Structures are given as C-alpha cells and as structure tokens.
Amino acid sequence: MNSTPLQRALRIAPARAVSAQARPEQEFFCFRVGNLRLGVPSENVLEVLRAGLLTPLPRAPSFLLGVTGHRGEVLPVMDLLRFLAKGEARIMPRTRLFVGVSGTYVAGVVADTVLGLRKILVSDILPPPMGADAATEHMLGVVAGPTAEETINLLNFSKLLQTARQRAVSR
C-alpha cells in the first residue's frame, strides 16, 4: 500500500512529540558570590532577603559568619567562599542572603548577586571536575556557559549543609 508523504509524516509525528517531552529538566536557584557562579536545587531555597546585622559567634568555624534574626528565628549565616576554600565574601549594602533548607537544617547563605531561577536540562549537566577539594566534593555537576565566566557550578546543597553542620558541631 502506497501512502502519501502527509500520511507518512503523520505516522512519524507522534513519536517525535513524545521524544521532545521526554527531556527532563531541573530548576536551580543561581547566584554569584565572589568570582563563582553557583546554583542550588530550587527546592532547597525558601526565600531571598537583604543581609542584615550579624552577631558573630565565639569559637565558630570561619565559614560561619554569625547569626541573624529572621521571622523570630535565629538563622546561622554561611560564607560559601570560605567553606569551599575559594576566598571570602564581603557583606556590602547590596549583599543578599538566601535562606537554604535541607530537612531540618536551615541556614542563610551569602550571595553577592542573585541571578534567578534557571531550568537546566539534565542532559546539559556535566560531571564535576576531577579533584578532591571541598568544592568538587559538594558539587552535583557543571553547566558550561558560552564563556568560562558564565559556567555555573551546581551544588549538592543537602550534602553541603550536612557537612557544614558536622564541622560546626565538632568544634
């Protein structure tokens, strides 16, 4: 039986539509701190707020900048640059904190600039670079940008908070 080009196209079309829908993506909250562009899964971010007054904690690890009051709770504030051994963040008037959560752990994290929410195809996430430093240990992967400066390092925020808590408690 000879079929017309239109009939052949219609038989093929549903298969292509299904394959286009089968490209899973994940949403990340992206931000910049220092020279790093980072992303954490959006389900780990509750809100973004201005960095307010911080109360330093005696004998706290250097990555824990102190605590701040937020909605009647005491919120520990982390410097990811210090935690990842990539420098240190400076609190400026335009500095933001995002409230990150994983299970029962909640912390404020310093962000110089909020880049927003980005949907990233799972197929575009490259594995973390080889190495055993603190940064790669807590990475889910990397999304390459058009330039090296636009590459986004995706963090395993749950593991990061768990490690930070262990380091803070063990002191």
Side-chain angles (χ1 to χ4, degrees):
M1 178 168 93
N2 288 338
S3 59
T4 67
L6 178 59
Q7 289 170 330
R8 285 192 301 269
L10 289 173
R11 276 197 307 270
I12 296 170
R16 289 185 180 164
V18 169
S19 69
Q21 292 172 356
R23 298 183 67 182
E25 56 187 19
Q26 190 173 355
E27 188 175 62
F28 287 89
F29 171 77
C30 298
F31 60 101
R32 188 178 59 74
V33 61
N35 293 327
L36 297 179
R37 292 169 66 96
L38 302 169
V40 298
S42 61
E43 63 265 16
N44 292 118
V45 179
L46 293 178
E47 65 183 298
V48 177
L49 49 120
R50 279 187 198 273
L53 293 175
L54 294 179
T55 303
L57 297 172
R59 298 178 3 157
S62 65
F63 66 84
L64 194 57
L65 298 177
V67 294
T68 189
H70 176 64
R71 299 185 189 266
E73 300 289 324
V74 176
L75 185 68
V77 177
M78 284 182 63
D79 177 352
L80 281 182
L81 289 178
R82 285 185 185 181
F83 182 82
L84 299 172
K86 302 288 183 185
E88 71 180 63
R90 289 187 292 197
I91 306 291
M92 307 294 271
R94 297 184 55 90
T95 301
R96 299 289 184 255
L97 301 177
F98 73 85
V99 180
V101 63
S102 175
T104 59
Y105 305 145
V106 179
V109 180
V110 175
D112 292 335
T113 307
V114 172
L115 303 173
L117 293 174
R118 302 246 170 105
K119 289 190 177 183
I120 298 171
L121 291 174
V122 172
S123 60
D124 289 346
I125 300 174
L126 304 171
M130 297 299 285
D133 69 349
T136 56
E137 176 187 342
H138 294 92
M139 285 178 61
L140 292 171
V142 175
V143 178
T147 64
E149 292 82 31
E150 294 180 82
T151 296
I152 299 174
N153 298 294
L154 304 176
L155 296 174
N156 181 339
F157 196 70
S158 297
K159 181 177 181 181
L160 188 140
L161 272 186
Q162 187 176 13
T163 303
R165 186 174 186 279
Q166 288 170 349
R167 287 187 197 170
V169 170
S170 68
R171 292 186 138 240

